[in-house]
Amino acid sequence: MNENATLDLLYVFAFFLGGLSFALGPFVIVYLLSPRSTRSTRGQTRQFIECGVPPIGDAWIKFGVVYYLYALMFVAFAVDILFLFPVALVYNRPGPAGDLRAFVEILIFVAILSLVILYAWKKGVFRWQRKTFSNR
Amino acid sequence: MTIDSELLRLLLYVVGFIAFIATNAAYLVWLERKEAGHIQCRIGPKEVGPFGLLQPVADGLKLMTKQLIIPKGADSFLFRLGPVLVMTPAVMCFVTIPYSDTIVARNLDVGLLAIFAFASVNVLGLLLGAWGSRNKYAVISAARVVSQNVAYEIPMLIVIVTMVMVTGTMNLHEVVTSQNGGFWHWNIFRFSASPLMPVAFLIYFVCMLAETNRAPFDMAEAESELVAGAFTEYPGMGFGVFFMGEYANIVVGTSMATILFLGGWNCPFGLWPGLHWFLIKMYALIFTVIWIRWTFPRTTFYSLLNLSWKVLIPVAFANLILTSALLKVL
């Protein structure tokens, strides 16, 4: 690894440490300045803030499946866009005139990718309804 | 350059950028309240200091003296990890943002990719913090935030890929120098690459609003529906760090818009380029972000997701294809 790459990593790491201290520093200050317990909060600090009354049921429950479908589509896209980055980086370099191979390849790639949206659209993922699945 | 001077430079940049972020976070809150006040025919903060200019200091002192509380049943580790995961990547983004020809901490060759990689961690912090607080409103908000952020990351990244294709580099310094000269050289007006460039800018801007959870896409903190969404259980400084992280992310987003589309530190008429032009463009964009927040109502959740999947992504793809066609064919 040459000197430049080492310095790059050093800078990123230094900013990581800086960010970490900027995120944790306020908590340290608060820990030093704030009251441990006051009369009005004594014995009540472990309560939920939510509207002041105890909530009914647990918050850690199952989600609507709709969110899950969106997430699945995202995974397909995110990986594919990562593949597009190196292609885009060298795309505009001068090549032989009239060479359309790179363009056709991108066209095919994006066309296949677009099928994901069309499929999801047809399957009704974008219709925001309650999806019920019975075990008939 | 010796090792000592390099380390000193490194230290100065880290401290300087953190000071920049902190000042911005403090005074953007002031700007937001002032602007909101005037838009709603109020005055805004005016009691503490002249024009309320010391209000952020008072707010900061108030946040610092509030008790740290972790609610019962919450996952205390995730609860504390949430704000840190929002703040740290936001600071890391500044490692390679060039504010002028000389003011840049480190000119990374993969700068563009690095910034969007760091910025995407933000959603993880909101998700873990909200899930860790074990509050129903927070958990609903977490689900919304994740699906919103993943939906808007895609059109944003497609626009970025298009810009990489046009400029042929991911080095932010080179991206800006390729737009040297008057405003007709800026990427937003580079019609030779694609006639849809202003649309690409618009897509980027909308996605940036959604990624930083600003109204009309503030599903993370939908006050009228979800109390305070992901931040419901966060008292005092936990909330404060989330807020500073949000403003730091806005600064990163508008800086990237300035670099990618508005010519960075270049003057519109080719005269006196420098830091001041960058800051003028950046703060004009931030002003617009706040302006939008206080003039548009929040969208419903499904129309927000459908806007991304049905409109923004197809248009961004069309722009990508058009750009690649014009670059190769013409």
Side-chain angles (χ1 to χ4, degrees):
Chain A
M1 202 154 60
N2 63 19
E3 197 182 341
N4 256 335
T6 318
L7 263 181
D8 283 351
L9 282 181
L10 185 68
Y11 267 88
V12 172
F13 186 64
F15 269 77
F16 169 69
L17 287 184
L20 209 58
S21 56
F22 187 47
L24 292 175
F27 290 109
V28 176
I29 297 173
V30 171
Y31 186 74
L32 295 174
L33 286 183
S34 70
R36 295 285 181 279
S37 154
T38 53
R39 246 183 312 176
S40 56
T41 59
R42 186 172 297 140
Q44 296 175 18
T45 54
R46 307 284 288 164
Q47 284 179 357
F48 283 98
I49 295 169
E50 183 177 297
C51 298
V53 292
I56 300 168
D58 198 355
W60 291 348
I61 48 167
K62 288 176 185 169
F63 279 103
V65 73
V66 195
Y67 293 108
Y68 173 71
L69 295 175
Y70 278 107
L72 265 185
M73 280 164 63
F74 168 71
V75 171
F77 272 91
V79 175
D80 290 343
I81 285 168
L82 207 57
F83 284 132
L84 273 177
F85 263 106
V87 178
L89 199 57
V90 294
Y91 186 79
N92 208 5
R93 302 242 168 103
D99 186 9
L100 291 180
R101 209 180 125 198
F103 171 60
V104 173
E105 278 174 3
I106 282 193
L107 197 62
I108 293 171
F109 188 79
V110 172
I112 294 174
L113 203 50
S114 309
L115 288 181
V116 176
I117 291 190
L118 289 181
Y119 179 75
W121 205 323
K122 196 90 195 353
K123 279 283 178 182
V125 174
F126 300 134
R127 258 173 303 160
W128 193 259
Q129 297 166 336
R130 187 177 200 82
K131 293 190 171 48
T132 45
F133 298 99
S134 58
N135 291 324
R136 268 184 298 155
Chain B
M1 198 181 281
T2 63
I3 289 181
D4 278 351
S5 66
E6 187 68 42
L7 278 181
L8 187 67
R9 183 177 177 276
L10 171 70
L11 199 65
L12 277 178
Y13 267 108
V14 173
V15 173
F17 270 122
I18 287 178
F20 178 69
I21 296 166
T23 322
N24 260 317
Y27 277 92
L28 287 180
V29 175
W30 174 83
L31 177 72
E32 173 131 30
R33 293 174 66 176
K34 252 329 198 201
E35 201 177 326
H38 283 282
I39 285 172
Q40 297 170 346
C41 298
R42 296 182 286 115
I43 302 173
K46 75 178 184 66
E47 290 296 333
V48 194
F51 307 109
L53 272 173
L54 293 178
Q55 186 71 42
V57 181
D59 286 348
L61 282 176
K62 184 193 77 179
L63 286 178
M64 277 176 201
T65 50
K66 284 209 170 184
Q67 205 175 345
L68 289 172
I69 297 171
I70 296 177
K72 187 172 74 179
D75 188 321
S76 57
F77 177 67
L78 292 186
F79 189 73
R80 281 282 159 256
L81 190 65
V84 176
L85 268 184
V86 171
M87 195 67 224
T88 312
V91 176
M92 285 173 81
C93 286
F94 284 88
V95 72
T96 185
I97 296 180
Y99 276 89
S100 87
D101 208 6
T102 46
I103 303 175
V104 54
R106 186 75 191 164
N107 199 8
L108 299 179
D109 278 337
V110 289
L112 200 54
L113 195 60
I115 283 182
F116 286 99
F118 295 147
S120 63
V121 180
N122 170 26
V123 54
L124 209 61
L126 282 172
L127 169 66
L128 291 183
W131 181 261
S133 17
R134 203 167 192 171
N135 176 312
K136 287 187 173 176
Y137 293 120
V139 170
I140 293 172
S141 158
R144 287 182 173 192
V145 164
V146 173
S147 34
Q148 169 189 341
N149 272 264
V150 299
Y152 279 85
E153 205 156 280
I154 292 165
M156 191 182 217
L157 284 175
I158 297 171
V159 170
I160 301 303
V161 166
T162 316
M163 298 315 291
V164 170
M165 203 178 257
V166 171
T167 52
T169 177
M170 289 201 275
N171 186 325
L172 292 176
H173 191 273
E174 287 171 22
V175 169
V176 175
T177 46
S178 74
Q179 307 172 54
N180 271 344
F183 64 86
W184 54 92
H185 290 291
W186 295 355
N187 279 338
I188 188 174
F189 297 122
R190 195 185 272 204
F191 295 116
S192 61
S194 157
L196 286 180
M197 271 303 171
V199 179
F201 175 68
L202 197 67
I203 292 175
Y204 177 85
F205 194 74
V206 169
C207 293
M208 188 203 73
L209 285 180
E211 288 283 303
T212 51
N213 300 314
R214 296 289 299 187
F217 308 113
D218 60 340
M219 287 301 151
E221 194 202 351
E223 299 94 341
S224 50
E225 315 165 20
L226 298 178
V227 188
F231 316 133
T232 307
E233 294 286 350
Y234 277 92
M237 200 39 106
F239 186 66
V241 171
F242 264 128
F243 241 67
M244 286 196 286
E246 184 183 321
Y247 281 104
N249 277 322
I250 292 170
V251 172
V252 170
T254 48
S255 298
M256 291 311 294
T258 309
I259 290 167
L260 285 173
F261 292 98
L262 300 179
W265 59 82
N266 286 311
C267 169
F269 312 105
L271 303 165
W272 308 298
L275 177 65
H276 48 282
W277 279 110
F278 194 104
L279 292 182
I280 289 171
K281 291 168 193 171
M282 191 185 91
Y283 284 116
L285 283 178
I286 291 177
F287 186 86
T288 317
V289 168
I290 297 174
W291 187 7
I292 288 173
R293 165 159 185 190
W294 294 102
T295 40
F296 284 99
R298 185 179 308 120
T299 55
T300 55
F301 186 60
Y302 54 88
S303 62
L304 177 144
L305 285 181
N306 286 351
L307 172 72
S308 172
W309 288 105
K310 285 186 179 173
V311 180
L312 295 183
I313 291 179
V315 174
F317 264 137
N319 184 34
L320 178 74
I321 292 297
L322 192 65
T323 311
S324 53
L326 286 177
L327 283 176
K328 274 296 173 203
V329 177
L330 295 180

